[in-house]
Amino acid sequence: MADPGMSVSPYWELTFDASGDVDPPERDRLLAQVTDHGVRDLVVFAHGWNEDRSAATALYRRFFAPFPALAPGARLGYVGVVWPSMRFSDEPIPDFPKSVVATEAEAAPAPALDKETRRALLTAFPDRATVVDQLGRLLDERPDGDAGLTTFGRLVRLLLDGASPAAADTDEQGEPAVFTEEPATVCAEFADALAAVANPAGAEGFGLPNPWEGAKELLRQAAYYQMKGRAGTVGEHGLGPLLGTLATAAPGVRVHLVGHSFGGRLVSFALRGLPGEVRPVKSVTLLEGAFSHYAFAERLPDDPHRSGALKDQQRRVDGPLVCCHSRFDTALGTFYPLASRLAGDDRSCLGNEIAAVLGPRWGAMGHDGVQAVPGTAQLDLAGALAGRLPASGCVNVDAAAVVRRGGPPAGAHSDILHPELARVVLAAGRIV
């Protein structure tokens, strides 16, 4: 049941494969034991981009640690969701020891694929070793001219060939421009964005970026596109139905869903996967959610005939759906909208100006919160912690007071290990 090194107890892990199938012994253990342990409130956390179980468990260990002291009278249980995601290993994560790769990247940034990232790509894209090797060679060699970038773009698309596409967060048509525009153009835009994030003040002597400096970002976004789709599948076809089974096996247990990054998408799509009229979910807390801020919209502002993929799903929550967001999250404020554009939008933009230039159409939950849902409450972190969270509906909480640390390209995207955010989860669930 519990990892001997886990900070809380009782703790269970639920491991899902890419299709949403859960590990049967882990599922059965949770269903059999949760009532025996007298659990009333079960906090279920889904990680974002992590490449292995140890990284996910380390996140849960750190995030859950403050809960017992913050709610000493609560009968809490904890679940860590483990699903097949990945992270590029050169991305630093605040409050975690830097990987060797991340340390080296700070000292001498380079676009080449390191061993850890190559391994993660092969895990995410089985049977694509040849393609990954070719991509790595091109990133090392950086040939002149557009021909090499065109080949790189073809290989990125080949990497995704046969992979399940990401289910749309809204019912808009088209594909992200990273798969349809000329690779040289996309790489140049990513290179401009990376340069702007790394040099926001525009220091003198800063030269024009090489498009190859954006090629690794193209690969990163393509891989994350795959992870985004997988998160929705695991949530809707895996976690959602399991929560329905839990509601039958342990009807007195109140479930509180927490998701970081793509894990926020996973727990949100789990609402769509709940069977029948069961309502075991008493709160949802999204931490820097990496999916469209229009996902819950009844009507899209640009087209009132279209809606968000999760329209009205917040009503499956017997409590609030709280979205914590931060302007310091450059992964979502800069790269998400750039990567999420549909084909045909050829406007170029730089760094933090991207969201403004592209408009709100491509925004992410974790950057500016739930949008186009009437009645959504707007709070800062202090207000949320002062007891002003509504009892139901969507709630945006500006968490920039604590979610603010991290280097390029992700910024503060993974800066979530704060007791204040644990307190938001407890407040959202009315857990005392």
Side-chain angles (χ1 to χ4, degrees), residues 174-270:
E175 290 185 275
V178 292
F179 307 114
T180 57
E181 284 188 4
E182 286 297 320
T185 301
V186 177
C187 289
E189 290 182 344
F190 278 134
D192 288 344
L194 284 164
V197 168
N199 186 48
E204 293 185 9
F206 190 74
L208 292 175
N210 186 319
W212 278 104
E213 293 168 4
K216 187 173 183 179
E217 192 60 34
L218 171 61
L219 176 59
R220 191 192 314 268
Q221 295 300 331
Y224 290 167
Y225 179 77
Q226 169 72 353
M227 297 305 108
K228 177 180 176 180
R230 187 173 292 172
T233 297
V234 172
E236 184 171 0
H237 301 290
L239 181 59
L242 188 149
L243 293 177
T245 303
L246 176 65
T248 300
V253 174
R254 306 168 73 247
V255 175
H256 309 278
L257 299 179
V258 184
H260 170 236
S261 186
F262 290 139
R265 191 174 195 268
L266 190 157
V267 299
S268 296
F269 271 76

